[in-house]
Each structure stands twice: as C-alpha cells, then as structure tokens.
C-alpha cells in the first residue's frame, strides 16, 4: 500500500510540474504570436504612411503642374484676345505659332492621380473570423431596378452617356438575410466575382424588404462597389459617403459584425486583408444582412 501511495504522490508531483511547464510553454507560444502580430502591424502602418506620402507628393506635383499649364493657357488666351484687334495679315502671322503653343500645353497635361493604398494580409484574420461563421439564408429576394442608394452613387461617378451609346442591360438582384442580429459576433461571406456592381453589409431591421434607401439615409453599414467611367471604386455608407482607397476585391468579401463592440468590418477573403471597418458604432436596433448586385 505504501508503494502505491508513494507512486500516486510522485505522479501528482510530476503532473503538477508538467502543468506548470505546459503553462509556460503555452504562454511562450502566445507571446510569439503577439510579437509576430506586433511586428507585422508596425510594418503595415509604416508602409501605409510611406505610401500616403508618395500619393500626397504625386498630387502636389500634379496640382503644381496644372497651375503652371493653366497660367500658360491664360497667357495664350490673352495674346489671342489682343491679336484680335490687329490687322488680318499680322493676325495670321502669329496665329500659327500661338496655336502650336496651345496644342503643346494640352498634349502634356498631367494625368489624373488614382490613389490606392496597399492591403497586406493580416496573419490569421480569416481563421479568426470564421469562428463566427453563420449561414445566411436570403429573404425578400427579387429582381429590381437600380435602388436610389446605388443610382445616386453612380450619378456621381459616371459621366453622361453619348447620345449614340447603347445602354447595357444588367440583371439587378436585391435580397435581405432571413434573420436579424441583436447581439453577438457574426461573420458571413459573399462571392462578388461575377458582379460588376454590388452593395454588401448590414442595415437596421426597419429597412427589411424595402429598396428605397438613399445616400443620406441612416441605419446602414454598407460597402459599395461601383464602376465609374473607366474604373471601379469602393465606398462606405458613412454620412457623407467615404471613398476607400484600396484594391477592389474580385472574389469573396467577408462581413463581420460585433454588435456589443459596435463594429462592422469588411475583408478580402482571397488575401486575408482588411478592406475597411465601421468603428465605435451605436447600434439602435437589430441588424439584418443586406445584398444588392448587378450582373452583366
């Protein structure tokens, strides 16, 4: 009996030492993760800061160049106005030279700057969010014309069509999630690969089944992708609308809601990067998933 007691006591001591050692090992691993994420965060923020400085410099150079070209064109215009008062022979002698100068200025006008910030992968982001993955069944589904929210945004970005331009027919689809969320953390994904324009996110439950949202309406936490004249742009439904200077996702977009913390985030699933977030929101009612898409 004494041997058994001694063996049991020894085993208890070994288990206690093993538990203590295992706690140390687990803490060490988590410290490694924290250090990795801290280092990654620091590099990411430094890269964003450097990119923003480059964009600001490009915009400054473009602005300075346009001011210089504008001043030159105003000078040409003033010369032309002065020449109009001169005899025809003298006018013809100087007109060709002025025309060449004017054309040269217009040919070398600065190109527009399209600012875009990098989206680096965030280690473990998608795996963490997928712990809260929920299946969203769609309700109030229907094919519809442009909703006012989206139509208003397109009118900002798309220049008027030429008279002879053939209108492109698109299938427009609108749907709401079958259940609202009043608490907790929830994550869902939408494949936008086949969509030319789309809106994804959460809206107050009072909007469910409606399609009359406008740019100034409240209770919407949405990411909008719209194709303008020659490129796609991303916006969030802040008031006013806020452009997002990141690359347009071409696969799945993940949407994460943390109701208690007042956060709605959008992620690019393909590269595990953050697109944008609504932070420190004050949700006043249940939130329901929302989806609008246009297909060619």
């Amino acid at each position: 009996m004494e041997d058994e007691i001694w063996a049991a006591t020894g085993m208890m001591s070994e288990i206690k030492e093993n538990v203590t050692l295992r706690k140390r090992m687990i803490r060490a691993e988590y410290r490694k993760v924290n250090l990795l994420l801290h280092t990654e965060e620091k590099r990411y923020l430094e890269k964003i800061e450097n990119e923003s400085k480059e964009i600001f410099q490009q915009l400054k150079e473009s602005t300075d160049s346009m001011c210089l070209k504008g001043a030159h064109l105003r000078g040409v215009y003033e010369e032309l106005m002065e020449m109009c008062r001169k005899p025809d022979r003298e006018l013809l002698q100087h007109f060709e030279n002025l025309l060449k100068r004017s054309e040269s200025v217009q040919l070398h006008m600065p190109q527009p700057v399209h600012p875009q910030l990098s989206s680096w992968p965030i280690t473990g982001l998608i795996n963490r969010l997928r712990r809260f993955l929920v299946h969203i069944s769609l309700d109030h589904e229907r094919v519809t014309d442009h909703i006012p929210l989206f139509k208003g945004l397109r009118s900002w970005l798309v220049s008027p069509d030429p008279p002879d331009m053939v209108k492109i027919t698109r299938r427009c689809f609108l749907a709401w999630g079958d259940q609202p969320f009043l608490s907790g953390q929830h994550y869902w994904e939408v494949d936008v690969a086949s969509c030319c324009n789309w809106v994804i996110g959460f809206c107050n439950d009072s909007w469910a089944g409606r399609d009359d949202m406008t740019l100034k309406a409240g209770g919407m936490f949405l990411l909008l992708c719209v194709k303008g004249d020659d490129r796609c742009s991303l916006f969030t439904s802040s008031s006013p609308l806020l452009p997002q200077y990141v690359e347009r996702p071409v696969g799945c977009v993940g949407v994460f809601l943390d109701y208690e913390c007042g956060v709605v985030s959008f992620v690019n699933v393909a590269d595990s990067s953050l697109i944008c977030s609504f932070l420190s929101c004050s949700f006043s009612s249940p939130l329901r998933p929302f989806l609008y898409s246009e297909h060619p």
Side-chain angles (χ1 to χ4, degrees):
M1 179 66 69
E2 291 182 358
D3 290 342
E4 285 78 0
I5 294 174
W6 181 85
T9 303
M11 183 175 294
M12 290 171 61
S13 178
E14 288 178 0
I15 292 175
K16 185 176 181 180
E17 291 178 3
N18 188 273
V19 168
T20 301
L21 178 59
R22 187 147 193 85
K23 286 181 179 179
R24 289 176 56 194
M25 290 189 293
I26 291 172
R27 289 193 187 101
E29 290 304 312
Y30 274 102
R31 288 193 189 101
K32 291 178 186 177
V33 173
N34 290 337
L35 179 61
L36 171 66
L37 292 177
H38 176 73
T39 304
E40 181 179 292
E41 175 191 10
K42 185 178 179 181
R43 289 203 313 267
Y44 200 154
L45 295 177
E46 288 175 351
K47 184 175 179 64
I48 292 294
E49 183 65 25
N50 292 333
E51 286 184 348
S52 68
K53 290 178 180 178
E54 292 177 5
I55 291 172
F56 291 152
Q57 182 61 31
Q58 292 174 12
L59 289 170
K60 184 179 183 303
E61 292 174 357
S62 179
T63 300
D64 292 345
S65 179
M66 284 189 286
C67 290
L68 184 63
K69 301 292 185 184
H72 188 76
L73 286 173
R74 283 193 296 272
V76 172
Y77 172 77
E78 290 171 1
E79 287 186 52
L80 286 170
M81 293 300 294
E82 183 66 27
M83 286 174 58
C84 288
R85 303 185 183 93
K86 296 182 179 181
D88 291 348
R89 178 179 293 183
E90 189 174 346
L91 176 64
L92 290 172
Q93 288 176 347
H94 295 87
F95 180 75
E96 184 176 353
N97 179 47
L98 278 174
L99 184 62
K100 287 181 179 179
R101 285 167 55 193
S102 175
E103 290 175 346
S104 175
V105 171
Q106 295 182 61
L107 285 172
H108 296 89
M109 288 295 287
Q111 296 300 308
V113 176
H114 297 300
Q116 181 171 295
L117 299 171
S118 296
S119 295
W120 277 19
I122 298 178
T123 300
L125 175 63
I126 301 301
N127 288 337
R128 292 199 303 272
L129 294 180
R130 282 180 173 165
R131 292 164 49 203
F132 309 103
L133 186 65
V134 293
H135 175 70
I136 302 294
S137 296
L138 298 178
D139 197 4
H140 303 289
E141 300 178 52
R142 62 183 179 277
V143 176
T144 180
D145 295 330
H146 293 303
I147 58 176
L149 169 72
F150 202 79
K151 188 174 182 181
L153 179 57
R154 283 184 60 84
S155 67
W156 284 13
L157 301 177
V158 183
S159 58
D161 296 331
D164 59 346
M165 183 175 180
V166 178
K167 295 289 184 180
I168 300 175
T169 301
R170 294 191 174 101
R171 293 180 295 111
C172 306
F173 175 81
L174 180 149
W176 295 86
D178 62 342
Q179 62 173 322
F181 298 105
L182 185 57
S183 63
Q185 297 170 304
H186 312 278
Y187 174 74
W188 57 297
E189 295 179 354
V190 181
D191 188 352
V192 298
S194 62
C195 306
C196 50
N197 300 294
W198 45 264
V199 184
I200 301 171
F202 287 92
C203 292
N204 285 353
D205 194 41
S206 58
W207 285 109
R210 297 168 55 181
D211 60 3
D212 58 343
M213 305 103 88
T214 65
L215 294 176
K216 296 182 179 180
M220 300 184 301
F221 308 92
L222 304 172
L223 177 66
L224 305 92
C225 177
V226 58
K227 186 173 183 179
D229 292 328
D230 59 353
R231 61 199 303 271
C232 291
S233 301
L234 296 175
F235 293 84
T236 48
S237 58
S238 307
S239 183
L241 283 170
L242 184 65
Q244 300 295 322
Y245 298 109
V246 295
E247 185 177 1
R248 171 183 179 265
V250 294
C252 283
V253 174
V255 188
F256 174 67
L257 166 67
D258 188 329
Y259 197 98
E260 282 74 20
C261 291
V263 173
V264 175
S265 297
F266 300 89
V267 298
N268 188 337
V269 176
D271 60 9
S272 189
S273 66
L274 177 69
I275 300 173
C276 61
S277 293
F278 291 88
L279 302 173
S280 303
C281 301
S282 180
F283 302 134
S284 58
S285 71
L287 297 179
R288 190 180 290 266
F290 174 80
L291 170 65
Y292 172 82
S293 60
E294 292 184 359
H295 303 262

